[in-house]
Amino acid sequence: MGARWRYLANEVAIGLRRNLLMTLATVVTVTVSLALLGAGMLVQLQVDKAQRVLYGEVEISIFLLDSISADQRTSLEQDLSDTGLVQEIIYVSKEQAYRDVQEIFAGDETILESVTPKILPASFRVKLDDPQQFEVVASQFQAYPGVEEVVDQREVLDKFFRIMNALRNGAVAVALLQLFAAAALISNTIRITAFARREQTGIMKLVGATNWYIRLPFILEGITAGIAGALAAGGLLWLGEATLVSRLKGEVNFIPFITTADVWRVIPVLVLLGAGLAAVAAFLSLRRFLDV
Amino acid sequence: MIRLDSVTKTYRNQVTALRDISVEITKGEFVFLVGASGSGKSTFIKLLLKDEDPDRGEVYVAGKRLNGMKSWRVPTLRRDLGCVFQDFKLLENKTVTENVGFALEVIGKPRQMIVRTVPEVLELVGLRHKAKAYPGELSGGEQQRVSIARAFVNRPRILLCDEPTGNLDPTTSVGIMKLLDRINRTGTTLVMATHDQHIVDSMRRRVIELDDGALIRDQTRGVYGYGG
């Protein structure tokens, strides 16, 4: 067996060196495509995480007119809990709203200076048993005396999530195109290698080497490039997480972010994809160019 | 050992290379395959190697029916066959030892077996002293001996030679023929396609003559001369 492994390692090294530029192009393309795909996967993880927390926290805000009387407010609160759809009602006074704003925009003087307790409406923050029941609650309380507006906060979030999903879809679409290019490059590299080795391959066929024995160096060559690309892509994602996301974490502290552990979860998937894609591309082009 | 039953082979460009050939070659025979260029000699050899498939008829080699043989079984067939060609087909970047060892290496033989067997077969072809030379440093006759060593190192039951002396001068050719004769005497069936009238006439072995794909003569202890 020793001879066989030495032969394989040797052939793969020769093949990769012979087409150094081609190999580099392949690795870079695989890297870019898998990095994009991995980024798409991480965005998805991020959306899942944020959704779980944000949808759980924010439901409906019922903004109140400044003119609302204490009686109107009490009966509004009573009627809200009488609907039987409500899990929790929190009254946010104008002062509380002002404190919230000060907290959220801490350090941003221009905003803080322009905001006074006066211009902020008081509101009820309402958590529903079933978030889907928003329409029922909204239609019932929209025209209620003293109510200015009923806002489904999820709609605001949905906008944010729609943007995230679009980002993810874009990344995945470009990644798929790139993966196709990577497969084409691998196929082309193998054609060149197959041509350079045609004498050797011919002799191997004549003396009765099995088809798999002939194919293996080519396929391993492809897989090596695929795995190298996947690992480089993993490195880029890790770097992105360590710099970009870590900085965001410092600035935005009301949603949870993906962690390095999530990047580690994505990397094995990328390696499998890179290796698998390369193996399939290599196998198919061998049938064409080597007739084995 | 080899049997062709009514074999016809037409290439895609409508050239008929073999027409209704039936022939049987038994174990240990030495057979010359003669005929002009394009008479179908090479196609005959390619059919035995299962490098080509016949359009009609059956081919049997080393006890195996080649028609309908699965492609993954072909390597097993070829381990029973040694091949020698006019152009030697040696790898320039490997030494004599490595070229011969390559044939064993790629069919997964263990290293110790290769190290033991290759010098033996180099001894047989008289090239023990050139073991570390590269093909470019050898004469044509020596290169053909390396090629024969590679074909024979796995002790195949059949040795197929396609114009093995085609690139060699007469004196060198005689040496190669002596070597092939010795290999034949070990019990190896030998089929040799050739143009070389002198060799065929001096060896007086079985001669099968092809003309435009048809078998026109099958003669034991024959000579090259057409129709003779």
Side-chain angles (χ1 to χ4, degrees):
Chain A
M1 274 293 107
R4 166 171 289 210
W5 291 115
R6 229 189 346 267
Y7 156 81
L8 265 181
N10 213 13
E11 291 299 303
V12 170
I14 290 172
L16 290 174
R17 253 206 324 272
R18 177 157 33 212
N19 308 307
L20 194 58
L21 209 60
M22 240 2 221
T23 306
L24 270 178
T26 309
V27 172
V28 169
T29 316
V30 172
T31 303
V32 172
S33 57
L34 289 182
L36 280 168
L37 201 69
M41 289 162 72
L42 288 176
V43 167
Q44 180 63 52
L45 283 174
Q46 177 62 63
V47 168
D48 286 348
K49 270 191 182 184
Q51 246 166 359
R52 222 170 301 138
V53 173
L54 294 179
Y55 277 180
E57 276 178 359
V58 186
E59 306 265 316
I60 297 179
S61 286
I62 300 178
F63 292 103
L64 308 177
L65 293 169
D66 289 349
S67 59
I68 191 167
S69 70
D71 281 351
Q72 281 174 327
R73 213 182 76 197
T74 317
S75 75
L76 171 59
E77 191 168 357
Q78 189 56 52
D79 287 351
L80 266 171
S81 56
D82 284 351
T83 57
L85 301 169
V86 173
Q87 199 183 80
E88 194 182 7
I89 306 167
I90 301 166
Y91 175 65
V92 183
S93 66
K94 292 169 82 76
E95 290 72 24
Q96 180 62 47
Y98 181 65
R99 279 197 294 277
D100 287 350
V101 167
Q102 274 184 320
E103 198 176 295
I104 291 169
F105 294 100
D108 199 334
E109 294 305 326
T110 36
I111 291 184
L112 291 181
E113 271 167 31
S114 64
V115 175
T116 60
K118 237 184 157 56
I119 65 164
L120 292 171
S123 64
F124 281 114
R125 276 171 60 180
V126 181
K127 194 171 209 168
L128 298 179
D129 287 326
D130 175 6
Q132 303 302 323
Q133 294 294 323
F134 168 76
E135 284 304 329
V136 181
V137 178
S139 57
Q140 192 174 342
F141 292 95
Q142 190 66 65
Y144 210 89
V147 169
E148 187 186 12
E149 196 184 8
V150 182
V151 174
D152 186 357
Q153 295 288 13
R154 297 197 310 151
E155 249 176 55
V156 181
L157 286 175
D158 277 344
K159 218 172 272 173
F160 166 71
F161 288 130
R162 266 201 298 279
I163 292 171
M164 293 295 267
N165 283 334
L167 268 176
R168 182 202 60 201
N169 292 343
V172 170
V174 177
L176 290 180
L177 275 175
Q178 289 275 330
L179 279 178
F180 181 75
L185 277 170
I186 288 171
S187 168
N188 202 27
T189 311
I190 280 179
R191 175 161 62 173
I192 293 171
T193 315
F195 185 76
R197 278 194 206 145
R198 66 195 183 287
E199 281 193 333
Q200 189 174 328
T201 312
I203 292 167
M204 288 167 84
K205 282 191 201 170
L206 272 180
V207 301
T210 59
N211 289 344
W212 273 111
Y213 194 89
I214 298 172
R215 283 177 199 141
L216 215 53
F218 293 91
I219 292 180
L220 283 185
E221 209 179 300
I223 289 180
T224 307
I227 290 180
L231 290 179
L236 285 180
L237 290 180
W238 176 81
L239 205 68
E241 195 277 333
T243 56
L244 214 75
V245 177
S246 291
R247 191 169 309 160
L248 272 173
K249 254 176 226 174
E251 311 246 328
V252 186
N253 48 27
F254 60 90
I255 52 171
F257 281 97
I258 51 164
T259 60
T260 314
D262 291 314
V263 177
W264 282 116
R265 272 167 65 201
V266 167
I267 289 175
V269 179
L270 297 185
V271 169
L272 274 179
L273 269 174
L277 171 94
V280 170
F283 183 73
L284 292 180
S285 44
L286 277 179
R287 307 209 84 148
R288 262 184 72 197
F289 303 129
L290 213 60
D291 194 26
V292 290
Chain B
M1 190 56 54
I2 296 170
R3 200 172 99 217
L4 274 69
D5 279 344
S6 315
V7 168
T8 296
K9 172 71 187 175
T10 307
Y11 285 106
R12 232 167 281 143
N13 55 8
Q14 301 304 313
V15 174
T16 302
L18 291 176
R19 298 170 201 274
D20 198 29
I21 301 282
S22 292
V23 85
E24 180 154 10
I25 297 169
T26 54
K27 184 177 180 327
E29 268 195 283
F30 193 127
V31 178
F32 284 117
L33 202 56
V34 303
S37 298
S39 59
K41 302 192 298 290
S42 291
T43 302
F44 190 102
I45 301 252
K46 281 180 179 163
L47 285 178
L48 301 185
L49 276 168
K50 201 169 165 62
D51 202 15
E52 295 285 352
D53 290 317
D55 300 310
R56 278 203 308 280
E58 301 274 346
V59 181
Y60 298 87
V61 175
K64 297 183 179 75
R65 179 171 176 267
L66 268 50
N67 299 58
M69 181 185 261
K70 295 268 184 291
S71 67
W72 61 269
R73 284 191 182 278
V74 174
T76 322
L77 166 74
R78 291 191 181 158
R79 288 174 196 195
D80 262 339
L81 304 171
C83 292
V84 178
F85 296 94
Q86 184 170 2
D87 58 356
F88 320 137
K89 296 196 193 296
L90 298 176
L91 296 169
E92 294 297 324
N93 58 351
K94 290 188 191 296
T95 65
V96 167
T97 300
E98 287 165 349
N99 263 290
V100 176
F102 187 69
L104 295 174
E105 198 180 323
V106 300
I107 59 173
K109 295 287 183 198
R111 184 113 204 118
Q112 314 90 283
M113 188 268 193
I114 298 173
V115 171
R116 198 182 60 240
T117 317
V118 172
E120 280 173 20
V121 78
L122 286 181
E123 182 77 54
L124 174 79
V125 302
L127 279 181
R128 190 82 188 256
H129 60 294
K130 299 274 188 177
K132 291 200 172 90
Y134 287 88
E137 301 161 4
L138 302 177
S139 70
E142 288 169 332
Q143 290 192 49
Q144 192 58 295
R145 283 168 189 272
V146 177
S147 165
I148 292 170
R150 184 183 60 198
F152 191 60
V153 70
N154 196 30
R155 307 289 151 145
R157 292 198 270 173
I158 302 170
L159 196 61
L160 303 173
C161 308
D162 196 356
E163 308 272 5
T165 58
N167 279 346
L168 306 175
D169 61 67
T171 323
T172 313
S173 298
V174 169
I176 294 293
M177 288 318 296
K178 278 189 179 150
L179 175 58
L180 291 179
D181 189 44
R182 257 171 73 197
I183 286 174
N184 173 240
R185 283 174 201 282
T186 66
T188 310
T189 309
L190 213 144
V191 178
M192 171 169 161
T194 188
H195 268 125
D196 197 323
Q197 180 174 356
H198 181 73
I199 285 173
V200 176
D201 289 349
S202 65
M203 299 274 293
R204 302 293 300 212
R205 298 299 186 108
R206 180 175 170 189
V207 173
I208 293 171
E209 183 173 352
L210 296 175
D211 182 34
D212 195 21
L215 196 158
I216 58 167
R217 179 164 60 116
D218 186 348
Q219 191 176 23
T220 45
R221 301 184 60 77
V223 291
Y224 192 90
Y226 294 96

